[in-house]
Amino acid sequence: MKKILIVDDKADIRLLVEMVLKRDDRVILHVDSGDKAVILAGEQNPDLILMDIMMPGRLDGHETIRVLKSDPGTRDCPIIAMTADICGEAAEKALNLGADRFINKPFLISELAEMVENLLR
Amino acid sequence: MEGRGRKPDELTGRLDTELRPCQEIVHNIVNRSVDAILIVDRKGRIRFANPAAADLFSRAAGELVGQNFGFPVSGGERTEIEVLCKNLLPTVAEMRVADTEWEGERAWLATLRDVTERKHLEERLKAALETSEETLAEIDSIIRSISEGLIVTDGGGHIRLINHALEIMLGASCREVAGLPVDSLFTDTQVREKIHDSLQEGETARFDFELKTDGRSQPVRTISARTSPVLDPRQHRIGMVTILQDVTREREIERMKSEFVSFAAHELRSPLTAIIGFAEMLLLGENLNPEEKRSYAEIIKRQGMFLADIVSTFLDLSLIESGRGIVLKKRPCTVEELFGLLDTVLLAQADPHRFQVVSEDRSVLLNIDLQRIKQVLGNLVGNAVKYSPAGSSVRVEGAAEGDWYRISVRDQGIGMTPQQVEKVFDKFYRADSSSTSPAGIGLGMSIVKSIVELHGGRMSIQSSPGGGTTVSFFLPIGVAQEARPA
């Protein structure tokens, strides 16, 4: 069973991503903040994390990626950054901080499904 | 005249031969002189006048002789007299007088020179000088009145003058700093270097720097400096002029605008992601049960409405910005009717909060645009939800207070500092501008305020960090009132 952790402050987006990725051989976890993501990733060792970048709270997406990628326990888990800015700065910053891929909102569900498939392979 | 041992005829002949050339010379000098020459006897009568004198007085020389000169004359003096001629244009003549003899009597030899032209030139020069002094004074007062700070330095980088605005900006006085090196005006080393370098280069330059001031709400001001060379008519650089403008507010608005653009992008893309994604799920999903289909369709509808709200916000803003303003469709309605709308407002909130609604004086009549007031309530409740933890309570209460009906939205959220409260109604302002703050495009409150004010009402905010926020708005009671609350 592959574990996927979805991190997004917007419930509708969490539900959408969950519905897109849901399969019998996967466990989907989701949280609404960076802080919770750090705790859950430490406990659950997910195989993939989908990370929204613009989130309220102490840790936004970028900061959460920084924390996860500097922790030996979570640094090897691939991260897909979900960005929504215009000029791509958020994606570039996420990649520099260690994210493995990025996907820009709004995305097609096939695009997301394929990216996840490739990373879990 | 009589000679010794010579015949009179012979003598006369010789005199003629020897004296004639002298006479001619004198005659020539007197007649061709451009200066008027007059002989005036001690009684003041003109005894001789040369052609230039005739010209000066516009009379024939013969006419002048025997006339009273009419001006007081005494030896050795140099005076200016004004001669009125026949053509009535006054002529100014400079007169010099010397003692002489005429036909055995003591007399005055007066020479008069027409100095009218010179006098005119002198007057024009005087007027020009006065004008240039006035112009200088005018330039000086213009420089003093410029609202931007101004420094003029000489070729060696020493201060020649600073204007009043700069004196205030830096707390310096022009008299004290004149002659000092320009960098002595600033304490910060980096600023000193920047100013010094740009003046050394002697080229037009533009740069920003931070200026620490005391006794203001924002002690660090952003100053924009522009330097340009002062050139003399031969295009040689004789100094530099530097204009300093306080752009703190402008930079702040620029920063807020650019953040606004990035948040607006995010705010539009998130609902679009949900709409497109769930529409795709509906189209492609093979094993969806009716319940799932229904919930996806509802998400699409809700997010679509959310997008519509954002678009309306933009439209409202553009109406306000363009000066056309929001047009209210007011009609009399009761507080009861207004509070009846709250259910849909509260239901539209996605996050779980405990809502309490308390309204008094429900039969009070208000003259309002119900949809716009609903928009105000939606915005205030939305903010309360956004800036307070899930599960906390948000209380909406209404009560009549004198001529006004007050509606307050109270949350138990993060609250705001007095500085944040001050900026709440600024366009693009968001209480926490870091990317970690709850999303929002920062236009809501400025539009809310416009709507409330269009109703003749006003707003107030009570807030403290960690102590929650209460935003109230007051609407005039009755159907004909437009007055503002005191």
Side-chain angles (χ1 to χ4, degrees), chain B residues 429-461:
Chain B
Y429 180 73
R430 297 161 61 256
D432 180 353
S433 61
S434 73
S435 62
T436 57
S437 76
I441 53 176
L443 287 174
M445 286 302 269
S446 70
I447 292 170
V448 159
K449 184 168 180 258
S450 298
I451 293 172
V452 170
E453 286 177 354
L454 278 171
H455 280 88
R458 71 175 167 97
M459 301 201 60
S460 79
I461 297 179

Side-chain angles (χ1 to χ4, degrees), chain A residues 4 7-8 13 18 26-27 29 31 43 46-47 55 57 70 73 80 89 91 93 96 100 106 109 116:
Chain A
I4 300 175
V7 189
D8 198 307
I13 304 291
E18 181 176 352
R26 290 175 182 166
V27 177
L29 310 164
V31 288
E43 288 170 2
D47 299 286
M55 282 189 299
S70 57
I80 297 175
E89 278 172 20
K93 187 174 173 188
N96 286 338
D100 300 81
I109 56 179
V116 167

Side-chain angles (χ1 to χ4, degrees), chain B residues 466-477:
Chain B
T469 301
T470 304
V471 182
S472 307
F473 62 99
F474 297 76
L475 296 169
I477 291 173

Side-chain angles (χ1 to χ4, degrees), chain A residues 12-112:
Chain A
D12 287 346
I13 304 291
R14 292 198 300 272
L15 178 65
L16 173 69
V17 176
E18 181 176 352
M19 292 299 118
V20 172
L21 302 182
K22 196 168 73 174
R23 262 171 35 180
D24 291 344
D25 59 344
R26 290 175 182 166
V27 177
I28 311 280
L29 310 164
H30 48 78
V31 288
D32 63 2
S33 75
D35 284 293
K36 290 178 192 165
V38 171
I39 296 168
L40 202 65
E43 288 170 2
Q44 297 283 332
N45 293 317
D47 299 286
L48 176 67
I49 300 173
L50 285 117
M51 180 74 62
D52 179 36
I53 292 302
M54 209 171 270
M55 282 189 299
R58 194 176 63 88
L59 297 179
D60 66 359
H62 285 132
E63 284 310 303
T64 313
I65 293 172
R66 192 199 301 275
V67 172
L68 292 171
K69 286 293 180 182
S70 57
D71 182 336
T74 50
R75 87 161 58 117
D76 296 327
C77 174
I79 297 177
I80 297 175
M82 297 189 287
T83 55
D85 67 332
I86 299 170
C87 35
E89 278 172 20
E92 201 184 316
K93 187 174 173 188
L95 293 178
N96 286 338
L97 287 168
D100 300 81
R101 297 277 191 284
F102 73 90
I103 190 163
N104 216 5
K105 291 177 183 176
F107 44 75
L108 292 176
I109 56 179
S110 54
E111 200 185 345
L112 177 68

Side-chain angles (χ1 to χ4, degrees), chain B residues 149 151 186 191 194-195 198-199 204-209 222-228 241-247 251:
Chain B
I151 310 170
F186 304 93
V191 175
K194 267 186 181 173
I195 298 263
S198 71
L199 294 192
T204 302
R206 193 177 189 131
F207 56 91
D208 282 8
F209 62 88
T222 307
I223 308 291
S224 162
R226 273 165 294 154
T227 63
S228 42
V241 57
T242 307
I243 291 172
L244 301 180
Q245 192 181 3
D246 188 330
V247 292
R251 293 289 182 273

